[in-house]
Each structure stands twice: as structure tokens, then as C-alpha cells.
Amino acid sequence: RPVRRRSTRSVSRVSVQFGTDGIRGVAGTDITTSLAYRLGRAVAEVFSLTTCVGYDTRESSPDLAAAVLQGLVDGGVTARNLGVFTTPGVAVMAAEANGVGVVISASHNPFADNGIKLFGPDGYKLSDELELEIEQLVDSDMSKKLALSDKLGRARRIDGVQDRYIEFAKRTLPRNVSLDGLRIVLDCANGAAYKVAPEALWELGAEVLEALVRLARGPAAKARTVLGISARQVEELERDRTLAEQPCAAARGRSWGLAPCGFDQACTKR
């Protein structure tokens, strides 16, 4: 006879309130693994759909993602672990799976912060009504909502999502777009696009200086700035220093471009 699985995660009540872009706060204080677990459980309860989970490069992100994945499994749904992945990339993968997307990221917030944002099957953020339903579930008694042993979900790591997202992003451009002859200094600012951005630009024909895209963690990640390092690299190459001050204009009509992390803003819909 199926038995109800006892979760090793806490199901004590916590409160959550969505803002304009998910929930954010100080990792370990406001955004905890207990909250992440309960949010995973609530997402499973509301949607009962395959759920894609990706996260950024913050040191707190893997633990929070693991808690969300466990909550989804305990809630009885299939969970796909995308690993370090861009926010729009998670939205794309969720839409392709006709499922839900969960992103562990605080975007431009300080290093110590983290957050969780959700995408629906259409690849867009959730409606206010759905967010309210999830808030209420997170704040409710979830101890009786664990899936039976034969109804537990499964979590699996999905490889190759970087390449799939690169192809999607390139398809959003006109067919005749080429970056041949453009040399680009690229600083992904330790962001989740540190893999896909240089590869996509190279595939479009650009010469990419990858000295600035290596992932850094800890104090190095906290200390780095996007424009400062890129400007210094441009100076060393004796090129136009104004590129660092006008990153948006750098991609047109120049022999050198500066691409801080704009690739992370690729369109999430065809």
C-alpha cells in the first residue's frame, strides 16, 4: 500500500509576498531553503506540470535551487534541473516543455541577496491571481500535502540547454544579421550568461575577447564591476575609451564593441 513519504525538509509555516519581479531579499535571512522548499511544493500544487529550475552564479543559489527541486519532487511533479542558466533561458525551456519555470536569482541586487521568480507555461511571469494563490499555499499547513510514495516526482539534470538557448536567441534575429568584422570585449559581470554570450556572439561571426567572462566567486565576484574592468581592457588595447561609457551604442558602426550582459535580455517569445 502506498505510504505518505515523510519529508526531511521543514514544513513549518513561512510567509512570502511577491513583488514586481518575484521575491527578493538577503539570502539565508529573507530567502531561505525552507522558503524555497515550500515554494516548490506550492508550485507543484498549483500547476502539476513539469517544472524547469535554473539559477544564477551567486554562492547561495545552488542550495536554494536544491530546496526548490526537493519541494517539487515531494509535490509529485517532474523537475528539470537546468543548472546555471539565464533568466530568459529558463522561460524559454519552460515554454518548450509546456511547463513552469523557476529562477533563483536576484538580478542586479547586491551579492548577499537572492530571489525566486516564476514563469508560466507561456514563458511569461505569473498573473497576480496565481501569485496570490501561491502565497497563500506557502503560508498554509502543507504537512498533509506530501505526495504518496508511488506519486512522488523525479528530478533530473538536463544537459545541452545552453546550446538550445543560443539557437533560440539567434532565431530571434533577422536571417541576414552577421557580426563579421566586429571585435567585442565581453564582460558578463559574473552573470549566468557567461557561457552562452561569448558562444552566441562567436557563432554570429564576431571576434570575442573572453578575458572577462571567466566566472569568479566570493570576494572577487563582489568586487568586480562591469564597466570598470571592460574600460581598462579597452585602454590596454588602445581603442576608443568612450565605448565603456556608451555600451548600447557600441554594437553599431564601431570596430570594437562592449557587451556587458545584454545577451541575458534576449527575447523569451518567438
Side-chain angles (χ1 to χ4, degrees):
R1 177 182 175 180
V3 296
R4 193 171 298 278
R5 179 174 178 270
R6 181 179 298 236
S7 173
T8 58
R9 299 277 180 171
S10 169
V11 290
S12 60
R13 298 189 184 187
V14 293
S15 296
V16 62
Q17 184 171 10
F18 285 89
T20 56
D21 199 17
I23 58 174
R24 293 183 185 178
V26 177
T29 302
D30 305 312
I31 308 299
T32 64
T33 54
S34 176
L35 170 61
Y37 171 78
R38 293 178 66 84
L39 195 65
R41 290 273 305 281
V43 168
E45 179 78 12
V46 170
F47 291 99
S48 297
L49 294 173
T50 294
T51 303
C52 300
V53 180
Y55 50 92
D56 68 12
T57 58
R58 296 167 191 266
E59 290 181 336
S60 58
S61 292
D63 286 345
L64 292 170
V68 170
L69 289 164
Q70 186 63 59
L72 293 166
V73 169
D74 285 352
V77 303
T78 298
R80 297 180 177 180
N81 182 1
L82 307 182
V84 175
F85 203 32
T86 65
T87 295
V90 174
V92 169
M93 294 300 109
E96 287 187 357
N98 192 32
V100 184
V102 180
V103 182
I104 312 298
S105 174
S107 188
H108 60 276
N109 276 37
F111 175 83
D113 287 2
N114 217 323
I116 305 174
K117 61 183 72 175
L118 306 176
F119 294 101
D122 59 357
Y124 287 99
K125 289 187 288 187
L126 304 184
S127 66
D128 292 343
E129 292 75 19
L130 281 173
E131 288 184 344
L132 178 60
E133 184 178 356
I134 291 172
E135 287 177 7
Q136 292 171 343
L137 275 172
V138 169
D139 195 33
S140 69
D141 180 6
M142 306 182 76
S143 61
K144 298 181 180 180
K145 296 181 181 295
L146 289 170
L148 296 175
S149 58
D150 63 338
K151 300 294 184 181
L152 291 173
R154 289 187 176 182
R156 54 180 295 196
R157 178 64 180 253
I158 306 297
D159 297 320
V161 293
Q162 310 282 355
D163 293 335
R164 289 165 61 184
Y165 178 58
I166 288 172
E167 290 304 313
F168 170 86
K170 290 193 300 182
R171 290 198 302 271
T172 66
L173 301 173
R175 288 183 176 272
N176 61 346
V177 167
S178 173
L179 301 182
D180 287 343
L182 184 67
R183 305 176 73 188
I184 298 179
V185 176
L186 179 64
D187 184 352
C188 290
N190 298 300
Y194 80 99
K195 285 185 178 180
V196 297
E199 181 67 21
L201 294 171
W202 179 83
E203 290 184 13
L204 289 169
E207 178 185 346
V208 182
L209 274 76
E210 298 188 45
L212 304 178
V213 303
R214 292 191 300 272
L215 179 63
R217 291 187 180 275
K222 288 183 280 187
R224 289 182 58 185
T225 59
V226 177
L227 298 184
I229 291 178
S230 296
R232 184 163 60 251
Q233 179 73 7
V234 173
E235 285 182 53
E236 291 172 358
L237 296 167
E238 298 181 348
R239 297 292 175 175
D240 188 357
R241 292 176 58 183
T242 61
L243 292 179
E245 300 169 2
Q246 303 177 40
C248 296
R252 292 187 174 86
R254 305 253 190 180
S255 60
W256 281 89
L258 172 64
C261 52
F263 193 75
D264 196 39
Q265 305 301 318
C267 178
T268 61
K269 293 291 289 181
R270 289 183 176 85

